[in-house]
Every structure is written in structure tokens, then in C-alpha cells.
Amino acid sequence: IADKVGERVSGLLGIDIISRMGVKIDIPAGKLSFHPSTDGMTRLPSRMRMGYMSVEMVLAGKPARIILDTGAPTSYVSGAFTEGLNPIGQVTDFNPLVPGDTFETSIFEFPASFAGIGFTMKAGHLPASLQMMLSVLAVDGVVGMEVLKRFSVTISDGNIWV
């Protein structure tokens, strides 16, 4: 992983640990806090399934269930949410579950929201092998750093707060 992100990596904190101890990720403020308060925050409809935390969203006007992946540099959605849209760019990303580790995808831009908070989201499509994995989890995509860079997010006791 260190080779792919260009930083030294000593370990990874999984959502199982993050959710139990409570973590506030506030990239806009450059802060990471443990055991944070959720006072004044909005709880997002979320659930934990098979070790993944997902949240309900609206993407391009359609309801969706999306995995929150704090390590994903790019967000990804099913093609159903980008149908008829023209790509705005291309990105190269990596995932250890993809043969060769790296893959390329077109990036699309569309309206998105959670808990009534609207924003413009940029997302690509996952390779077929990862898309199949998401269908097993009954989710429509992955939200990553692209969204986390915009909002202060708290993960605590199996819930997601913004």
C-alpha cells in the first residue's frame, strides 16, 4: 500500500475498530479525534454488514446504499447512476483485489445527498470483479476521500454522523 499512496504505512485501522471507539474525521480542519461527541451532528441512516459500513444516499435522483471507505481516494458507483452522463475525466486507482492492482475508470459528476445535505459528487465505475463484490453486499457503490474532504464525519457505535 505504501508504494501506491507514496507514504509510509505502519498499519490500517478497520471500520470494526473505528466504529467501536468512535472517530471524527475532519479533513477540512485537518483533525482526527477519538471518542468524539456527536452533539449538533446529523445521524445518517447507516448499517454495518459483513464488516462494511454503509449509508443511505440519493445519487442522481435515485436512492442508493453506499459503503463508506475512509481509504478510497476515489468514489465509485454502479453504472445505473451515471447512465446518459458524459465523463469529465479519467483516473487511475488501485485495489489489491484487482489483478495487477491498478485500474482506470472514467469519472462522472452528478448531484448527490445524504440526510438532506446536497452536494455535487464525482465518481467512477469499479472493475467488474469489485462490482460483483458490492452486489453481494447489496450496495450501489463506495464513497471515499472525495466526499470525506468536504464534510466532518464521525463514525461511532455503528453509526455515521455529519
Side-chain angles (χ1 to χ4, degrees):
I1 291 176
D3 293 340
K4 300 293 184 190
V5 298
E7 297 286 339
R8 189 179 72 121
V9 177
S10 299
L12 299 173
L13 280 179
I15 198 72
D16 56 335
I17 294 170
I18 289 173
S19 179
R20 268 196 317 255
M21 70 184 332
V23 173
K24 181 176 186 177
I25 303 166
D26 193 347
I27 293 173
K31 295 180 180 179
L32 179 71
S33 309
F34 293 95
H35 308 289
S37 166
T38 55
D39 292 345
M41 300 184 86
T42 301
R43 182 188 173 281
L44 302 180
S46 54
R47 73 176 183 206
M48 187 80 112
R49 181 170 185 210
M50 296 174 65
Y52 293 93
M53 181 158 273
S54 64
V55 62
E56 291 177 16
M57 295 183 71
V58 176
L59 305 177
K62 302 171 190 169
R65 179 159 290 282
I66 305 292
I67 287 176
L68 176 66
D69 183 349
T70 59
T74 305
S75 295
Y76 296 95
V77 297
S78 157
F81 299 99
T82 59
E83 197 171 302
L85 298 178
N86 292 320
I88 62 165
Q90 189 88 4
V91 69
T92 301
D93 201 352
F94 75 94
N95 187 298
L97 301 176
V98 173
D101 287 348
T102 60
F103 61 93
E104 286 193 14
T105 183
S106 295
I107 295 293
F108 301 86
E109 191 173 68
F110 48 88
S113 67
F114 43 59
I117 303 166
F119 58 98
T120 300
M121 185 168 162
K122 294 178 183 174
H125 296 156
L126 285 170
S129 58
L130 294 178
Q131 189 63 47
M132 280 188 352
M133 229 175 77
L134 292 183
S135 66
V136 168
L137 295 169
V139 296
D140 302 300
V142 175
V143 136
M145 291 301 291
E146 189 266 334
V147 171
L148 291 172
K149 287 178 184 177
R150 299 170 187 238
F151 301 99
S152 172
V153 175
T154 294
I155 304 166
S156 182
D157 297 322
N159 294 297
I160 300 174
W161 306 76
V162 292

